[in-house]
């Protein structure tokens, strides 16, 4: 009895929807009136999915740490520690796509896209003087990613005339990309009774990725505006992992002032700029293994780091980020 009821239900639905579908495909959906080529322009916004822990920023882990400092004993106490997670998949993307129809059901596309992610907090360390709330030291880094990619794909649709759904899937081949990291830091170090050295640092870095390969998939619908122009909207998912290759400091400004706290008199000043950095401080090459032959730090004097060989790029562990996400696109398509 249940089977008979189910059969009747399916028959009724097909009877109802068949005229609608027939109306949609009644005319030959001639999506190629004079040529098989088409051009798409689109833009959209993506949200990060599957967030992970951010990579280290130099010696600083991706944590939000609040500490207090006891000037009498020199001891520091961690008040709170939070791991910072996320991804660089959230951001805006725009692009241009060239397409070719094999038939009204199948086409291939070659898209060129530019992506700009939102800015993420990567690390924050804040130390205050115990009992006063005065900032003894802080460091805060934010990062964002820019990328250009080539995305070949296949598009399959039923070829309806009015509202035409489609599925698109393919690869993502980034051919240029940068992870930009901006860091601001300040410290206040006692020099003698009533005299401190106050240092402020602004630093900008660019991380270059290795060549990688990702994938994409989308569900969308297109609607004709006129004989050669369509509009479309779609939901798209991208997974594009990237691992670091090298890093370069592009902006560096360090200022240190020795100040008499009683009179606020500046006793002396010292400044370092980008050209004052050693090769090891300015450039980093990422590796999977650190051993005795790696160019690693050997000492620290204020903000200056000394390496085994200051005249060669430093070595650090590779890091991984994902610039893929789930988002929505909208745009127009011209058929030539």
């Amino acid at each position: 009895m249940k089977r008979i009821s189910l059969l009747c239900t399916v028959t009724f639905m097909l009877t109802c929807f068949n005229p609608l579908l027939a109306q949609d495909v009644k005319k030959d959906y001639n999506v190629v009136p004079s040529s098989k080529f088409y051009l798409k322009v689109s833009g959209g916004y993506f949200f990060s999915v599957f967030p992970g822990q951010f990579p280290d920023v130099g010696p600083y882990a991706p944590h939000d740490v609040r500490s207090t400092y006891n000037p009498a004993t020199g001891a520091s106490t961690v008040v709170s520690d939070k791991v910072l997670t996320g991804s660089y998949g959230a951001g805006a993307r725009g692009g241009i796509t060239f397409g070719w129809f094999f038939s009204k059901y199948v086409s291939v596309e070659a898209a060129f896209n530019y992506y700009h992610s939102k800015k993420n907090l990567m690390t924050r360390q804040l130390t205050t003087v115990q009992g006063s709330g005065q900032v003894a030291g802080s460091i805060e880094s934010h990062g964002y990613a820019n990328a250009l990619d080539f995305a070949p794909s296949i598009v399959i649709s039923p070829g309806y005339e009015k509202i035409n759904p489609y599925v698109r899937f393919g690869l993502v081949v980034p051919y240029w990309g940068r992870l930009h990291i901006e860091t601001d830091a300040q410290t206040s170090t006692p020099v003698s009774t009533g005299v401190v050295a106050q240092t402020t640092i602004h630093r900008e870095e660019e991380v270059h990725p290795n060549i990688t390969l990702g994938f994409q998939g989308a569900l969308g619908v297109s609607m004709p505006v006129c004989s050669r122009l369509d509009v479309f909207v779609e939901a798209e998912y991208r997974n594009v992992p990237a691992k670091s290759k090298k890093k370069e400091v592009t902006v560096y400004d360090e200022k240190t002032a020795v100040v008499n706290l009683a009179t606020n008199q500046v006793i002396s000043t010292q400044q370092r700029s980008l050209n004052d950095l050693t090769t090891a401080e300015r450039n980093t090459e990422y590796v999977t293994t650190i051993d005795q032959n790696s160019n690693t730090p050997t000492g620290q004097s204020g903000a200056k780091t000394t390496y085994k060989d200051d005249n060669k790029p430093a070595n650090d562990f590779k890091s991984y980020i994902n610039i893929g996400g789930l988002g929505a696109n909208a745009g127009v398509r011209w058929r030539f």
Side-chain angles (χ1 to χ4, degrees):
M1 193 68 182
K2 292 182 178 179
R3 294 181 179 179
I4 296 174
S5 299
L6 179 60
L7 180 60
C8 292
T9 302
V10 172
T11 303
F12 175 76
M13 292 177 64
L14 291 175
T15 303
C16 292
F17 285 106
N18 186 60
L20 297 177
L21 295 179
Q23 183 180 4
D24 241 5
V25 299
K26 184 177 180 181
K27 297 179 181 178
D28 183 17
Y29 182 51
N30 188 12
V31 295
V32 285
S34 60
S35 172
K36 294 186 176 182
F37 288 106
Y38 63 87
L39 175 69
K40 291 167 54 178
V41 177
S42 63
Y45 190 86
F46 282 72
F47 300 89
S48 63
V49 292
F50 307 120
Q53 185 170 302
F54 287 121
D56 293 351
V57 182
Y60 299 99
H63 286 216
D64 186 352
V65 181
R66 309 299 173 95
S67 306
T68 59
Y69 169 73
N70 189 330
T73 62
S76 294
T77 303
V78 175
V79 177
S80 66
D81 189 348
K82 176 185 177 182
V83 176
L84 298 174
T85 60
S87 80
Y88 291 93
R93 184 170 66 86
I96 185 170
T97 302
F98 301 92
W100 168 272
F101 282 108
F102 282 110
S103 68
K104 67 180 181 180
Y105 307 111
V106 181
S107 65
V108 292
E109 294 185 349
F112 299 88
N113 302 291
Y114 175 76
Y115 175 76
H116 178 78
S117 80
K118 75 171 188 178
K119 189 174 290 188
N120 295 282
L121 176 64
M122 298 183 66
T123 188
R124 180 162 54 199
Q125 320 279 327
L126 177 64
T127 302
T128 57
V129 178
Q130 185 175 331
S132 70
Q134 178 185 353
V135 176
S138 69
I139 180 169
E140 188 169 318
S141 296
H142 294 82
Y144 63 93
N146 291 336
L148 288 170
D149 67 60
F150 168 66
S153 59
I154 297 176
V155 183
I156 300 175
S157 76
Y160 295 159
E161 180 182 356
K162 295 181 179 179
I163 299 177
N164 190 38
Y166 63 86
V167 60
R168 174 170 56 80
F169 55 90
L171 301 176
V172 181
V173 186
Y175 59 87
W176 177 88
R178 296 290 185 269
L179 171 60
H180 300 268
I181 303 175
E182 300 174 353
T183 302
D184 288 286
Q186 62 174 350
T187 60
S188 182
T189 307
V191 176
S192 60
T193 303
V195 179
V196 297
Q198 298 175 341
T199 301
T200 60
I201 298 173
H202 176 73
R203 175 188 179 110
E204 296 180 14
E205 304 163 274
E206 288 187 358
V207 180
H208 300 226
N210 275 304
I211 296 175
T212 186
L213 187 67
F215 68 87
Q216 54 159 323
L219 292 173
V221 61
S222 64
M223 295 162 284
V225 176
C226 59
S227 62
R228 295 179 181 270
L229 180 66
D230 300 334
V231 295
F232 65 89
V233 292
E234 62 183 21
E236 180 181 6
Y237 173 73
R238 289 183 156 221
N239 188 306
V240 188
K243 59 182 178 180
S244 57
K245 179 181 181 181
K246 61 181 182 178
K247 180 177 69 176
E248 180 184 2
V249 178
T250 57
V251 175
Y252 189 84
D253 183 23
E254 175 190 332
K255 297 177 182 178
T256 300
V258 178
V259 181
N260 186 323
L261 294 179
T263 62
N264 285 329
Q265 178 186 0
V266 177
I267 300 173
S268 63
T269 60
Q270 185 178 358
Q271 187 169 356
R272 283 208 308 162
S273 63
L274 184 64
N275 294 330
D276 297 318
L277 300 181
T278 64
T279 301
E281 288 181 296
R282 188 170 178 174
N283 298 280
T284 301
E285 292 181 354
Y286 290 102
V287 295
T288 55
T289 302
I290 298 290
D291 55 28
Q292 60 182 359
N293 297 318
S294 303
N295 193 19
T296 52
T298 58
Q300 187 85 25
S301 177
K304 179 177 174 59
T305 303
T306 304
Y307 291 80
K308 291 179 181 178
D309 190 341
D310 288 333
N311 297 315
K312 292 183 179 179
N315 293 128
D316 201 353
F317 286 114
K318 287 182 180 293
S319 59
Y320 299 82
I321 65 171
N322 193 309
I323 57 174
L326 178 65
N329 296 314
V332 294
R333 178 178 68 181
W334 288 276
R335 302 191 299 269
F336 296 99

